Amino acid sequence: MELKDLIAQYPVVADLAAERETMWVNPEYGDVAELPLTKEDLFDAEARYHRFGPYMAVAFPETAATDGILESPLYRIRAMQEHVTQREGYDLPGDLYLKADNELPISGSIKSRGGIYEVLKIAETVAIDHGMLAYADNYAKLNEPEFRELFSHYGIAVGSTGNLGLSIGIVAAQLGFNTTVHMSHDAKQWKKDKLRSKGVNVVEYDGSFTKAINTGRKLAAADPSVFFIDDEGSTDLFLGYGVAAIRLQKQLHDQGIPVDEDHPLFVYLPAGVGGSPGGTTFGLKTILGPNVHAIFAEPTHVPSVVLGMATGMNEDISVYDIGLDGLTEADGLAVGRPSRLAGHVLRTILQGIATFDDDRVLAYTAEMMDTQQMQLEPSATAGFAAVRMAQPYLASRYPMAHANHIVWATGGMLMPASEHERNYALGKAILERK
Ligand SMILES: *Cc1c(COP(=O)(O)O)cnc(C)c1O
């Protein structure tokens, strides 16, 4: 379809094509629909994570304190709430929290949830198929040499903008799999270096994420011993992310944060292909019900999920089709085409999507350091942009006086200091200009 016809049919596309910040409200939100995944699927994934706890605790000693379970804290961020709402000039009734996936062990990002889950599921399947593992075993035995030998006959491959490759590469290589990560041009050098130091085969591409993932998928398909973890359509990745909701329910409970009609909970998540925020949203709606509402954030230069959902064309349209360049400082979100799963699952369970200019995430990155002393990568702060953009609509629709808001901070802990200093300096310059 030509751009002018798209715009005539879907007015939000005019904003997207012009790289204007915008808020798309999903007209099908709340409609009754059968979802392709269920609550049982989430609990199956959570049970698998628990079977692997003893393995993770021995293979990754930094996870021993939590019995090999990877989880992140939920922080109240009062100073940031005060500072950012004042600077950007809007009201935010209720309390603002940060879900600190930037502190998740192994990749320091939300990708530790989905990526590691899928690797563990592959390892379990291979070991069981070879008669070397029973479900009731203590999975710590997977750390023994005979399993490394077994897994060395198999490959795991993935295409990534950085963090997914990091989470999958580190765990797959530790298990003994032949591991290949296909990295797009925007992937940071330190992520490639770190993977190579773990014995992972890193293949670099001049082109976009779409090119890296397509080439990786094709190479893997030619070799039956290679498992390709497909960021554009994997159900296992999606479920690994979704498990977060089971743990968040307890964190909310433990911190005395109610979720009901008078206390709606709003969750703001950055979206690349839509897999990590999509899986998380599916989990949240399934576990916490109708009073939790998710809003995504995407760069104005790469609004892939909103373009797919607003037009109903999902993975059949990319940001390049409407003339955008797909370039952003938020490198984890530099994905021009949405996943084959996200838009379909999210059609009735996602409240909306906001787009933001890159300057904002750099400013939030500096502001989070100044107000909360927290190190985030720029992508990981995108939720703050959605908070601001969504408030007028949310206030027109929900009782906000006792609302709670969670910005999902998706990455940053492993970033080298030099990288953070660069982002911080860019952010400070933007703050001082205004
Ligand atoms: C991957 C990533 C996202 C977005 O996840 P998608 O599954 O691509 O939508 C957001 N933030 C960070 C830091 C990421 O690495």
Side-chain angles (χ1 to χ4, degrees):
M1 211 187 296
E2 283 204 42
L3 184 55
K4 67 175 188 342
D5 300 325
L6 267 178
I7 291 172
Q9 210 170 335
Y10 311 103
V12 72
V13 175
D15 286 341
L16 302 181
E19 298 167 359
R20 261 196 303 273
E21 291 188 328
T22 193
M23 168 82 198
W24 173 73
V25 174
N26 180 2
E28 294 179 86
Y29 184 54
D31 287 0
V32 177
E34 197 168 328
L35 299 181
L37 300 167
T38 66
K39 191 186 254 185
E40 286 64 42
D41 293 326
L42 283 177
F43 283 111
D44 176 57
E46 175 69 326
R48 183 164 293 103
Y49 256 131
H50 279 274
R51 288 199 290 282
F52 272 95
Y55 167 76
M56 295 299 286
V58 292
F60 298 94
E62 71 266 33
T63 70
T66 53
D67 298 324
I69 298 298
L70 314 182
E71 200 38 73
S72 71
L74 178 67
Y75 298 119
R76 174 89 168 83
I77 46 168
R78 235 178 264 273
M80 180 64 173
Q81 179 169 3
E82 211 165 287
H83 198 274
V84 76
T85 53
Q86 200 199 357
R87 177 175 66 83
E88 292 191 316
Y90 68 96
D91 275 338
L92 185 65
D95 293 342
L96 181 62
Y97 293 83
L98 191 84
K99 180 64 174 154
D101 275 10
N102 55 301
E103 295 181 22
L104 273 183
I106 299 178
S107 75
S109 82
I110 192 169
K111 300 302 192 317
S112 281
R113 300 182 182 278
I116 293 173
Y117 174 71
E118 185 154 354
V119 171
L120 298 181
K121 189 172 176 193
I122 291 168
E124 182 180 60
T125 305
V126 169
I128 296 233
D129 285 353
H130 281 78
M132 291 171 65
L133 182 72
Y135 291 117
D137 277 343
N138 182 327
Y139 278 27
K141 75 192 261 194
L142 291 164
N143 204 36
E144 304 291 324
E146 76 241 43
F147 285 94
R148 288 188 63 83
E149 209 288 313
L150 169 67
F151 296 140
S152 74
H153 298 286
Y154 293 89
I156 287 185
V158 64
S160 173
T161 58
N163 287 336
L164 186 65
L166 214 49
S167 78
I168 286 173
I170 292 172
V171 176
Q174 173 73 26
L175 280 158
F177 286 98
N178 265 310
T179 308
T180 305
V181 176
H182 300 270
M183 287 282 204
S184 54
H185 60 69
D186 38 57
K188 299 287 179 200
Q189 190 60 41
W190 68 269
K191 294 178 184 176
K192 300 174 194 165
D193 294 343
K194 187 165 182 85
L195 282 172
R196 289 195 171 116
S197 78
K198 307 266 177 195
V200 172
N201 174 28
V202 177
V203 188
E204 301 182 54
Y205 292 83
D206 286 337
S208 68
F209 171 77
T210 304
K211 182 173 165 194
I213 192 171
N214 284 343
T215 312
R217 188 187 293 114
K218 203 154 54 182
L219 290 173
D223 182 345
S225 72
V226 176
F227 295 89
F228 185 71
I229 298 184
D230 197 338
D231 199 23
E232 290 185 326
S234 163
T235 306
D236 287 327
L237 276 179
F238 212 74
L239 290 169
Y241 294 123
V243 165
I246 300 174
R247 284 89 172 271
L248 183 67
Q249 183 191 39
K250 175 144 170 65
Q251 288 181 319
L252 292 167
H253 206 258
D254 289 350
Q255 296 187 32
I257 303 166
V259 183
D260 56 38
E261 229 163 285
D262 294 329
H263 302 83
L265 176 65
F266 301 97
V267 182
Y268 308 88
L269 304 122
V273 289
S276 72
T280 307
T281 298
F282 164 72
L284 291 169
K285 293 303 278 184
T286 304
I287 300 295
L288 293 172
N291 297 306
V292 61
H293 310 282
I295 297 109
F296 290 181
E298 296 195 289
T300 48
H301 284 238
V302 209
S304 49
V305 180
V306 59
L307 178 63
M309 287 188 73
T311 60
M313 293 164 77
N314 292 309
E315 70 277 12
D316 294 327
I317 188 165
S318 86
V319 301
Y320 310 110
D321 297 336
I322 61 166
L324 298 176
D325 61 13
L327 300 176
T328 175
E329 276 290 335
D331 49 294
L333 314 183
V335 172
R337 187 183 294 281
S339 97
R340 295 189 298 280
L341 199 57
H344 301 277
V345 178
L346 296 171
R347 188 174 62 82
T348 60
I349 62 172
L350 180 66
Q351 170 76 81
I353 303 179
T355 63
F356 63 86
D357 291 333
D358 276 12
D359 274 5
R360 285 194 201 279
V361 288
L362 291 165
Y364 300 138
T365 301
E367 216 164 22
M368 276 299 286
M369 182 46 77
D370 287 344
T371 59
Q372 307 283 161
Q373 293 73 52
M374 288 183 195
Q375 174 176 306
L376 303 178
E377 53 183 283
S379 305
T381 68
F384 291 108
V387 175
R388 167 182 161 277
M389 286 299 279
Q391 287 323 296
Y393 175 76
L394 297 180
S396 75
R397 184 150 177 194
Y398 301 101
M400 298 303 285
H402 308 292
N404 291 293
H405 309 268
I406 297 178
V407 164
W408 210 286
T410 45
M413 182 185 71
L414 292 191
M415 216 174 11
S418 59
E419 187 86 9
H420 180 67
E421 281 156 19
R422 170 194 170 270
N423 295 335
Y424 180 81
L426 289 170
K428 280 303 254 193
I430 289 162
L431 288 171
E432 275 150 28
R433 214 162 59 214
K434 294 212 164 125

